[in-house]
Amino acid sequence: MDTEDLDVLYSSSKWSTRMSADEIVDDHIQKGQDATKQAKLIYRNEANVPYKDEICNMDIFQPDDVTPDAPIFIFTHGGLWQAPLKDDGGHFVLSLVKHGIITVSLTYTVAPKGTLRQMVEEVEEAIVFIAKRFPHSRGIFVGGHSAGGHLAAMMLTVDWTKHGLPQDLIKGALLVSGLFDVCPIVHTYVNDELKITEEEAKKLSPNTHIKETCQLSSHCPIIVVVGEEDSPAFKKQSWEYGQQLKDGGLAVKVMEVKGHDHFHVLHDFAKDDYEPTKELVKMITGQDK
C-alpha cells in the first residue's frame, strides 16, 4: 500500500460523515474543553498537577465524599502523539466521579519535542505517581483514546515491581479506537513529526508484546471500543488486537459502536446510558449501574 493510501487510512477525520475533516477536529477539541469546564464546575479537582515537569501534568477529579480506597481511572489522550488534548478526559469525569471513582486525565510530551519511547515512559511515570499518591486505592484502571489507546495498552506490558509496586497494580483497561500496530504509521504523514524508525515502531507496538501482556496483566479485564464508522484501519487494529489478547487467555470484550465515528465514540462516554460507559463502570466498580 502506498503512502497516500496509508495517509487516508490513518486520518480518522476523513472518515466521519457528520462533518468535514477540519470541522470535526475543531468540534472534537471544543467538546473536550466543554466537558472539562463542566466537570470543574461540578467536582472537586486539582488542575495541572505535575508528575514530572510543567508539560507532563494531570488533572485530578475526586468525589466530595471520596474514600481512601476509591478506585482510580487514569485517561491518556490521543491526537496522533502530537496534540496535547488533556481535556478529552472530561468526558469520563462526567460519568465516573458520581460513582465514587477518582478520575485522572494526563498529558505528556508530544511530538516533535517528545519521542514515542519518551511518551510511553512518561505515562508509566504518571501511573507510578498516582499509585504513590493514593496508596490505599483498591485499584487503578487505565484508559486511552486513539494514540492514547496505544499508550494505555503499553502499560499492560510494564513490570510494576521494578517501582516497588504490586504487579496487579492495574486492575483493568479501556482502549478506545487505539493504535496497536505502530508500524504502518512509519509510512504516513504522522511520522513527519514523530520521526520513528521501523525498528522502533515494532518495539513500541502493543501487538508485538502479546506474550508479555498476557503474562504481566493476566488478571486484567480489557474493554476494546471502536466506532462502526471509524477508519477501516482503526477498526481492523481493534478487532485483531482484541482477538490476540483473547487467544492469549485474557478476558477481553470488543465493542463496535453502531453509528459512531472515531470522535463521538469517545464523546459519548460522558453519557450514563452509553453502553461502553456502562461496561466501564461495571468493570471498575464490579456492579451494574
Side-chain angles (χ1 to χ4, degrees), residues 42-252:
I42 299 171
Y43 296 113
R44 179 157 59 97
N45 65 88
E46 297 174 79
N48 305 318
V49 177
Y51 63 87
K52 179 183 176 184
D53 53 35
E54 288 186 1
I55 293 175
C56 299
N57 68 78
M58 57 180 66
D59 295 344
I60 303 172
F61 296 82
Q62 301 185 53
D64 289 335
D65 56 351
V66 67
T67 60
D69 68 340
I72 302 168
F73 178 73
I74 302 176
F75 175 76
T76 305
H77 67 77
L80 292 174
W81 304 282
Q82 297 175 45
L85 300 175
K86 183 178 63 172
D87 282 343
D88 282 358
H91 303 297
F92 294 96
V93 178
L94 294 174
S95 59
L96 297 183
V97 177
K98 67 183 68 172
H99 295 293
I101 302 164
I102 297 171
T103 305
V104 177
S105 186
L106 66 88
T107 192
Y108 44 89
T109 309
V110 298
K113 184 175 182 179
T115 66
L116 191 56
R117 169 68 68 183
Q118 180 181 349
M119 297 176 214
V120 171
E121 291 173 350
E122 286 174 352
V123 175
E124 182 176 334
E125 287 182 62
I127 293 172
V128 172
F129 176 88
I130 285 294
K132 292 184 175 179
R133 176 158 179 174
F134 298 98
H136 303 296
S137 170
R138 61 181 179 269
I140 290 176
F141 296 79
V142 297
H145 172 244
S146 195
H150 159 266
L151 295 170
M154 288 299 293
M155 296 304 101
L156 302 175
T157 71
V158 174
D159 176 2
W160 297 105
T161 63
K162 69 184 180 183
H163 297 291
L165 297 166
Q167 187 53 44
D168 65 349
L169 175 71
I170 294 176
K171 305 298 186 185
L174 171 74
L175 309 173
V176 184
S177 297
L179 285 161
F180 310 109
D181 179 3
V182 182
C183 293
I185 297 299
V186 175
H187 308 288
T188 70
Y189 71 97
V190 179
N191 209 32
D192 294 346
E193 298 291 338
L194 199 57
K195 302 187 187 306
I196 190 170
T197 66
E198 290 190 18
E199 182 181 3
E200 290 171 325
K202 186 174 183 180
K203 287 180 180 178
L204 294 171
S205 289
N207 72 347
T208 302
H209 302 283
I210 298 298
K211 183 178 180 181
E212 296 99 306
T213 300
C214 293
Q215 289 176 341
L216 294 170
S217 298
S218 59
H219 58 282
C220 279
I222 298 170
I223 303 170
V224 179
V225 179
V226 68
E228 178 190 35
E229 297 178 5
D230 205 334
S231 149
F234 280 87
K235 290 171 65 174
K236 183 173 184 286
Q237 287 212 19
S238 288
W239 280 105
E240 288 186 350
Y241 182 66
Q243 189 60 53
Q244 288 174 313
L245 295 180
K246 282 184 182 180
D247 292 344
L250 297 193
V252 181

